[in-house]
Amino acid sequence: MTATPDLGTPQLAAPDLLRSVFRRHAAGVAVITAPGGGGPVGFTATSLTSVSAEPPIVSFGIGVGASSWPAISESDHVGVHILGEHQHELAATFARSGADRFGAPTRWRQGPEGVPVLDDVLAWLVCRVVARVPAGDHHVVLAEAVRGDPSGAGRPLLYHQGRFNGLRD
């Protein structure tokens, strides 16, 4: 086997390498919410994945040091919200540490199973948590969709190169 001349100098696997590689990966932007003892919690996620159609299961990752983790670790249900390109600020609010995520101007209501449901998103699901799998400094949460609405208008918000972007044709 011959070496490919344009591969550059390989780097050892490390957190910085992983972050650098995934900055080049465009990902859809979601907000995950849950009821919490001290009020609702939520965070911006780019790790949302459809896992299974039958039963309908999604997954997302959450750091064990995240402020939302204690509530997510105990909640039976979570909300999954697909953000539109008009929701840069909402995505930034839910990504910012220490932000009042559910205060104005965030618009939301209590949805099925007591889960906070955000207004004006492209689509949302309420999901029953079926597993929490330890994975390094994160947990991967598997959750089965039980209710939802895919009828929001607009185009998806993406995350790429450390910024929120709209989809270009």
Side-chain angles (χ1 to χ4, degrees):
M1 177 176 248
T2 60
T4 305
D6 59 351
L7 284 181
T9 304
Q11 299 177 23
L12 293 175
D16 287 340
L17 173 60
L18 187 67
R19 285 184 196 102
S20 294
V21 167
F22 273 86
R23 278 189 192 104
R24 301 186 66 93
H25 173 70
V29 180
V31 167
I32 309 298
T33 61
V41 301
F43 66 98
T44 299
T46 57
S47 61
L48 180 66
T49 304
S50 171
V51 174
S52 168
E54 191 56 44
I57 295 177
V58 300
S59 72
F60 59 87
I62 179 171
V64 295
S67 61
S68 297
W69 172 241
I72 298 287
S73 73
E74 295 180 2
S75 185
D76 292 332
H77 291 84
V78 295
V80 175
H81 307 83
I82 308 299
L83 300 191
E85 63 185 358
H86 62 286
Q87 295 178 303
H88 288 85
E89 288 304 316
L90 184 65
T93 296
F94 276 84
R96 194 168 31 254
S97 180
D100 180 6
R101 296 172 178 155
F102 290 90
T106 301
R107 293 185 358 249
W108 64 282
R109 64 193 180 286
Q110 185 173 348
E113 306 297 338
V115 171
V117 174
L118 301 175
D119 290 347
D120 201 29
V121 295
L122 296 186
W124 61 267
L125 295 168
V126 168
C127 301
R128 182 179 60 82
V129 175
V130 296
R132 295 172 186 88
V133 181
D137 61 355
H138 279 60
H139 272 72
V140 175
V141 177
L142 297 167
E144 182 178 358
V146 295
R147 299 244 178 112
D149 183 358
S151 66
R155 294 163 54 104
L157 182 63
L158 300 178
Y159 188 73
H160 181 250
Q161 295 287 31
R163 294 188 351 238
F164 297 114
N165 299 282
L167 183 64
R168 286 180 262 176
D169 290 329

